[in-house]
Amino acid sequence: MSIASALGLGGRKVRYAIVGLGDIAQEALMPGVKHTGNSEITALVSGDPVKLTKLGKKYGVKHLFGYESFAALLKTGEIDAVYLATPNWRHAEFAVPALEAGIHVLCEKPLEVSSEQAQRIADAAKRGKAKLMTAYRLHFEPATLDAIRRIRAGELGELIAFTSLFSQPLDPANHRAHHGIEAGPLFDMGPYPINAIRYLFGAEPVEVVSAVGARHAAAGLGDLDDTIAATLRMPGGKLAQFTVSYAADAVDSLIVVGTKGSIEMNPAYGFGQGLEQFRSLGGKDSHETFAATDQFGGELRYFSDCILEDRDPEPDAEEGLADLAVIEAVVAAMRSGKAEPVKVKQRTRRIDPETQLQSLRAVSAPEPVNASSPTRD
């Protein structure tokens, strides 16, 4: 039975299981569900029974499952889709069986910790004829969409360079400090500047020119590169650089510059507050703070619309694979000390700012959200 026939012609809602109940799910995604108008939570999945009981009562969810019972959940008929917010290296573990069962998946970024595992997820979506979307919430954020629109309109001229710094101190007790590079800042925070490079330039990086990691004893993170910096070569000789860090004080910024002007965003990647632009265009400086929006509600509204209307989502598996190709080239450059090619297919589909803004307009006004750094189950 299709979702449309199961739910009727009016007031259709996609039924979600939230898999992984860390802070990003609790503080951002779950509160945003009620703003969508087309989505509801019908099941929760976690390895922590205390969380399951507490959040089940809070949201009135009766279907509560441990990770080990996920296969049983897929057979209940109680869910149409999954929002997946487990640690990165457990994405394929849950996404593959869900997609093969025809259950749609909205998966947090990065899609997985290797292109091989991410491709397994993409292939499962094809086999199960299910929708798969990588959860790039900034594809549904007005300051980001405005910057893309201005660049495409030629307001900055020909783009020349991009620089970004994204840092937040990590508690040494956090699980991310104990699972190697795949849990470190490159895989956890790197998708933000890497994705920004790709959507602002509208192109794929050619190679990682250089990449280096550093460790700071004061951070207390032991055998982990807590700070990583990389330089990417873009088509036409353009350059993009980013630094991500678990040791430095919180910074969240980017600047992109062209032959006619520049846009600095600070903050650039956060949620729970309005993002800001500092523009220099045609010799005139300006500053704009964009209204805070429910980025999570916006992306969920969009994904549910794609399910209900049988449309392919824009930040799809290929989008997730493209960022992983860059991450893997950064890792290779760190290990070799040499430039490494980015092995990625050229994307023909890019963000459609107007379509994404329509999803935001359809979402009711958000309640205040804690803007602190998210963690996962």
Side-chain angles (χ1 to χ4, degrees):
M1 180 181 292
S2 69
I3 294 176
S5 60
L7 298 178
L9 296 177
R12 296 179 293 169
K13 290 187 178 182
V14 176
R15 301 168 300 166
Y16 282 87
I18 311 301
V19 182
L21 302 178
D23 288 351
I24 197 168
Q26 291 187 45
E27 296 181 4
L29 191 285
M30 293 175 73
V33 172
K34 65 183 178 182
H35 301 144
T36 66
N38 65 357
S39 313
E40 61 182 344
I41 303 171
T42 56
L44 299 175
V45 183
S46 175
D48 186 334
V50 175
K51 286 183 183 180
L52 281 172
T53 301
K54 178 182 177 181
L55 293 170
K57 289 181 179 179
K58 180 177 181 178
Y59 287 93
V61 179
K62 299 179 181 179
H63 303 287
L64 309 177
F65 292 79
Y67 287 146
E68 72 284 354
S69 302
F70 185 68
L73 168 63
L74 298 179
K75 298 176 182 178
T76 63
E78 297 293 342
I79 63 170
D80 308 303
V82 162
Y83 169 70
L84 186 53
T86 61
N88 303 333
W89 56 91
R90 299 194 71 178
H91 287 176
E93 176 184 348
F94 298 100
V96 169
L99 292 163
E100 289 180 335
I103 302 297
H104 311 287
V105 173
L106 174 61
C107 182
E108 272 299 336
K109 58 206 162 298
L111 190 55
E112 244 287 353
V113 295
S114 72
S115 292
E116 181 181 3
Q117 288 289 76
Q119 189 62 56
R120 284 187 60 220
I121 296 173
D123 292 343
K126 292 179 181 178
R127 288 194 299 272
K129 296 181 172 57
K131 308 291 184 189
L132 170 61
M133 178 170 140
T134 311
Y136 289 105
R137 57 180 169 77
L138 292 172
H139 289 217
F140 305 88
E141 191 285 314
T144 299
L145 296 173
D146 182 77
I148 293 170
R149 179 188 62 77
R150 290 178 182 276
I151 289 169
R152 290 181 183 176
E155 292 186 23
L156 273 64
E158 180 182 358
L159 295 189
I160 299 297
F162 168 102
T163 298
S164 177
L165 177 58
F166 190 18
S167 59
Q168 58 186 18
L170 182 74
D171 184 342
N174 189 289
H175 73 82
R176 299 181 189 187
H178 308 288
H179 289 89
I181 192 170
E182 290 85 0
L186 178 61
F187 282 79
D188 181 43
M189 303 170 72
Y192 289 92
I194 290 170
N195 203 244
I197 289 165
R198 295 179 49 252
Y199 59 61
L200 292 176
F201 281 89
E204 303 303 322
V206 175
E207 68 176 355
V208 175
V209 178
S210 64
V212 62
R215 301 176 185 182
H216 300 85
L221 301 180
D223 188 23
L224 176 70
D225 285 331
D226 56 64
T227 303
I228 293 174
T231 299
L232 313 181
R233 190 184 308 280
M234 304 298 293
K238 303 172 178 65
L239 296 176
Q241 300 170 309
F242 70 87
T243 300
V244 289
S245 178
Y246 276 168
D249 192 25
V251 175
D252 172 9
S253 67
L254 69 81
I255 184 167
V256 58
V257 60
T259 54
K260 295 181 181 179
S262 64
I263 295 176
E264 178 185 356
M265 293 183 62
N266 188 357
Y269 306 123
F271 63 89
Q273 77 263 350
L275 303 191
E276 299 185 45
Q277 287 185 7
F278 299 83
R279 299 187 291 261
S280 178
L281 303 173
K284 295 182 179 180
D285 295 336
S286 62
H287 167 250
E288 182 174 0
T289 299
F290 289 74
T293 58
D294 185 351
Q295 300 169 23
F296 291 86
E299 70 176 351
L300 196 66
R301 167 79 193 201
Y302 171 83
F303 186 54
S304 292
D305 277 345
C306 287
I307 294 169
L308 294 168
E309 299 169 11
D310 194 21
R311 293 188 282 113
D312 293 330
E314 174 271 311
D316 55 12
E318 284 190 357
E319 185 75 355
L321 279 160
D323 281 348
L324 271 170
V326 178
I327 289 173
E328 289 175 335
V330 171
V331 173
M334 289 172 63
R335 290 173 176 170
S336 71
K338 301 176 182 178
E340 296 286 347
V342 177
K343 301 174 183 178
V344 63
K345 295 179 180 178
Q346 293 300 311
R347 292 277 283 147
T348 57
R349 193 177 186 192
R350 301 287 176 184
I351 295 173
D352 179 353
E354 184 53 38
T355 298
Q356 317 303 56
L357 282 171
Q358 287 176 3
S359 293
L360 280 176
R361 296 187 189 109
V363 173
S364 62
E367 299 170 357
V369 175
N370 187 338
S372 62
S373 302
T375 58
R376 300 189 184 95
D377 195 13

